[in-house]
Short mmCIF file of all heavy atoms in Angstrom, two decimals:
data_model
loop_
_atom_site.label_atom_id
_atom_site.label_comp_id
_atom_site.label_asym_id
_atom_site.label_seq_id
_atom_site.Cartn_x
_atom_site.Cartn_y
_atom_site.Cartn_z
N SER A 790 18.39 28.31 3.05
CA SER A 790 19.38 27.52 2.31
C SER A 790 19.80 28.17 1.00
O SER A 790 20.85 27.82 0.44
CB SER A 790 18.82 26.13 2.01
OG SER A 790 17.81 26.19 0.99
N GLY A 791 19.00 29.10 0.48
CA GLY A 791 19.32 29.72 -0.81
C GLY A 791 18.96 28.86 -2.00
O GLY A 791 19.24 29.22 -3.15
N ALA A 792 18.32 27.71 -1.75
CA ALA A 792 17.94 26.84 -2.86
C ALA A 792 16.74 27.42 -3.61
O ALA A 792 15.85 28.02 -3.01
CB ALA A 792 17.58 25.45 -2.33
N THR A 793 16.74 27.24 -4.91
CA THR A 793 15.59 27.67 -5.72
C THR A 793 14.70 26.50 -6.11
O THR A 793 13.67 26.69 -6.77
CB THR A 793 16.06 28.38 -6.99
OG1 THR A 793 16.89 27.49 -7.75
CG2 THR A 793 16.85 29.64 -6.64
N ALA A 794 15.09 25.29 -5.72
CA ALA A 794 14.30 24.10 -5.97
C ALA A 794 14.45 23.14 -4.80
O ALA A 794 15.51 23.08 -4.17
CB ALA A 794 14.72 23.41 -7.26
N VAL A 795 13.39 22.41 -4.51
CA VAL A 795 13.38 21.49 -3.37
C VAL A 795 12.80 20.14 -3.80
O VAL A 795 11.76 20.09 -4.46
CB VAL A 795 12.54 22.05 -2.21
CG1 VAL A 795 12.64 21.13 -0.99
CG2 VAL A 795 12.95 23.46 -1.85
N LEU A 796 13.48 19.07 -3.41
CA LEU A 796 12.92 17.72 -3.50
C LEU A 796 12.70 17.24 -2.08
O LEU A 796 13.59 17.37 -1.23
CB LEU A 796 13.87 16.75 -4.22
CG LEU A 796 13.85 16.76 -5.75
CD1 LEU A 796 14.71 17.89 -6.28
CD2 LEU A 796 14.35 15.43 -6.30
N THR A 797 11.53 16.72 -1.81
CA THR A 797 11.22 16.27 -0.46
C THR A 797 11.12 14.74 -0.40
O THR A 797 10.84 14.08 -1.40
CB THR A 797 9.89 16.87 0.03
OG1 THR A 797 8.84 16.44 -0.83
CG2 THR A 797 9.96 18.38 0.06
N TYR A 798 11.33 14.22 0.78
CA TYR A 798 11.28 12.77 1.02
C TYR A 798 9.93 12.18 0.60
O TYR A 798 9.87 11.08 0.07
CB TYR A 798 11.56 12.51 2.49
CG TYR A 798 11.10 11.17 2.99
CD1 TYR A 798 11.76 9.99 2.62
CD2 TYR A 798 10.01 11.07 3.86
CE1 TYR A 798 11.33 8.76 3.09
CE2 TYR A 798 9.58 9.84 4.33
CZ TYR A 798 10.24 8.69 3.94
OH TYR A 798 9.81 7.47 4.41
N ASN A 799 8.84 12.92 0.84
CA ASN A 799 7.54 12.43 0.40
C ASN A 799 6.63 13.60 0.03
O ASN A 799 6.99 14.77 0.22
CB ASN A 799 6.89 11.52 1.46
CG ASN A 799 6.50 12.25 2.73
OD1 ASN A 799 6.52 13.48 2.80
ND2 ASN A 799 6.14 11.50 3.75
N ASP A 800 5.47 13.29 -0.49
CA ASP A 800 4.54 14.32 -0.94
C ASP A 800 3.95 15.14 0.21
O ASP A 800 3.66 16.33 0.05
CB ASP A 800 3.39 13.68 -1.74
CG ASP A 800 3.83 13.18 -3.10
OD1 ASP A 800 4.84 13.68 -3.61
OD2 ASP A 800 3.14 12.29 -3.66
N LEU A 801 3.75 14.52 1.37
CA LEU A 801 3.18 15.26 2.49
C LEU A 801 4.09 16.41 2.91
O LEU A 801 3.63 17.53 3.18
CB LEU A 801 2.93 14.32 3.68
CG LEU A 801 1.87 13.24 3.47
CD1 LEU A 801 1.72 12.40 4.74
CD2 LEU A 801 0.53 13.86 3.09
N LEU A 802 5.39 16.16 2.98
CA LEU A 802 6.35 17.23 3.28
C LEU A 802 6.26 18.33 2.23
O LEU A 802 6.29 19.53 2.56
CB LEU A 802 7.77 16.67 3.35
CG LEU A 802 8.14 15.89 4.60
CD1 LEU A 802 9.46 15.14 4.37
CD2 LEU A 802 8.27 16.81 5.81
N ALA A 803 6.18 17.93 0.97
CA ALA A 803 6.12 18.91 -0.12
C ALA A 803 4.86 19.77 -0.02
O ALA A 803 4.91 20.99 -0.21
CB ALA A 803 6.16 18.19 -1.47
N ILE A 804 3.74 19.16 0.31
CA ILE A 804 2.48 19.90 0.41
C ILE A 804 2.54 20.90 1.56
O ILE A 804 2.15 22.06 1.44
CB ILE A 804 1.30 18.93 0.57
CG1 ILE A 804 1.09 18.14 -0.74
CG2 ILE A 804 0.02 19.67 0.95
CD1 ILE A 804 0.14 16.96 -0.61
N GLY A 805 3.04 20.46 2.72
CA GLY A 805 3.16 21.36 3.86
C GLY A 805 4.11 22.50 3.60
O GLY A 805 3.84 23.67 3.95
N LEU A 806 5.23 22.20 2.95
CA LEU A 806 6.20 23.23 2.60
C LEU A 806 5.59 24.25 1.65
O LEU A 806 5.75 25.47 1.84
CB LEU A 806 7.42 22.58 1.95
CG LEU A 806 8.47 23.52 1.36
CD1 LEU A 806 9.07 24.42 2.43
CD2 LEU A 806 9.56 22.72 0.63
N MET A 807 4.88 23.78 0.63
CA MET A 807 4.25 24.68 -0.32
C MET A 807 3.25 25.60 0.38
O MET A 807 3.21 26.81 0.12
CB MET A 807 3.54 23.87 -1.42
CG MET A 807 3.02 24.73 -2.57
SD MET A 807 1.96 23.81 -3.74
CE MET A 807 2.99 22.43 -4.14
#
Side-chain angles (χ1 to χ4, degrees):
S790 73
T793 59
V795 185
L796 278 82
T797 61
Y798 160 72
N799 67 11
D800 288 337
L801 294 181
L802 284 167
I804 291 168
L806 172 61
M807 188 189 308

